Amino acid sequence: MTKTALDPAAPLVFDTAELRGAGTMMHIAREIPAPEAYGLEDVFAVPKGAVLDLDIHLTGVSEGVLASGQVEAVAEGECARCLAPVQDALSVQVQELYAYEGSVTEATTEADEIMRLEGDLLDLEPAVRDALVLAMPVTPLCRPDCPGLCAECGVPWDELPDDHVHETVDPRWAGLEKLRLADNDGEPK
């Protein structure tokens, strides 16, 4: 598998050269634009370019760099019941160990079990993306008691009168329905 080199100018890539000693620490507190949409676009996602508020501590440990902290973002989409626009403020904890090249951790774990540093560069983007997507609701709702849409006409129940109904007659009984409603002149009421 060929690895692509990290772009040191990418907003979620950090140089950890000064964290080579165990116990050394770097604090990152900044707002950056989301490099891509996180989630299901057109359903529920943190849109590309939306603000990601980072409050992350990078700590040098014997096997690599431990990234831990909080990320906040706003996800947007539509209510699963009534299709109204929905926004949800997400606040997630991120904690990930990035192993040094050639460390014992790198030698004893599979490539997909732990994140790895590329030289001194740490890519926080996969950890941020995963944490945000896992925090998103499976079924986003505008409110917990959203009644949804009328199955017959497709109008949101909130916009319909309380006595809204659609009369449905079984087609097998349609002929009898005309007889039931007929008045003395034979005309339906």
Side-chain angles (χ1 to χ4, degrees):
M1 181 169 110
T2 306
K3 278 191 163 183
T4 59
L6 291 178
D7 177 5
L12 289 167
V13 173
F14 301 99
D15 187 350
T16 63
E18 65 185 60
L19 300 176
R20 280 291 175 170
T24 56
M25 185 181 260
M26 177 191 306
H27 181 241
I28 300 164
R30 64 177 74 148
E31 292 180 349
I32 62 163
E36 63 182 68
Y38 299 140
L40 297 173
E41 269 190 283
D42 300 327
V43 178
F44 200 69
V46 173
K48 180 178 181 175
V51 174
L52 299 178
D53 187 7
L54 304 176
D55 187 11
I56 304 290
H57 292 278
L58 301 178
T59 306
V61 294
S62 60
E63 292 297 312
V65 175
L66 178 66
S68 60
Q70 185 170 322
V71 178
E72 295 178 355
V74 175
E76 301 173 351
E78 60 185 25
C79 177
R81 292 183 187 158
C82 71
L83 308 178
V86 176
Q87 283 192 338
D88 191 9
L90 303 174
S91 181
V92 296
Q93 294 296 316
V94 175
Q95 186 164 7
E96 192 74 47
L97 175 64
Y98 292 80
Y100 291 131
E101 294 174 352
S103 70
V104 174
T105 303
E106 183 180 50
T108 59
T109 58
E110 296 296 321
D112 60 351
E113 289 180 316
I114 194 165
M115 302 298 288
R116 313 237 190 267
L117 292 168
E118 289 187 32
D120 289 325
L121 297 179
L122 174 148
D123 185 7
L124 197 58
E125 201 259 339
V128 167
R129 178 194 59 232
D130 292 350
L132 287 170
V133 170
L134 289 173
M136 291 179 188
V138 175
T139 308
L141 299 175
C142 58
R143 64 179 204 268
D145 62 341
C146 175
L149 302 173
C150 173
E152 295 293 323
C153 63
V155 175
W157 279 107
D158 286 339
E159 297 175 11
L160 295 170
D162 291 339
D163 62 346
H164 177 76
V165 293
H166 293 274
E167 190 170 322
T168 56
V169 177
D170 187 327
R172 297 171 294 183
W173 298 100
L176 291 175
E177 184 68 17
K178 289 178 186 174
L179 292 173
R180 186 178 73 86
L181 297 176
D183 64 15
N184 292 339
D185 296 336
E187 297 295 321
K189 291 184 181 179

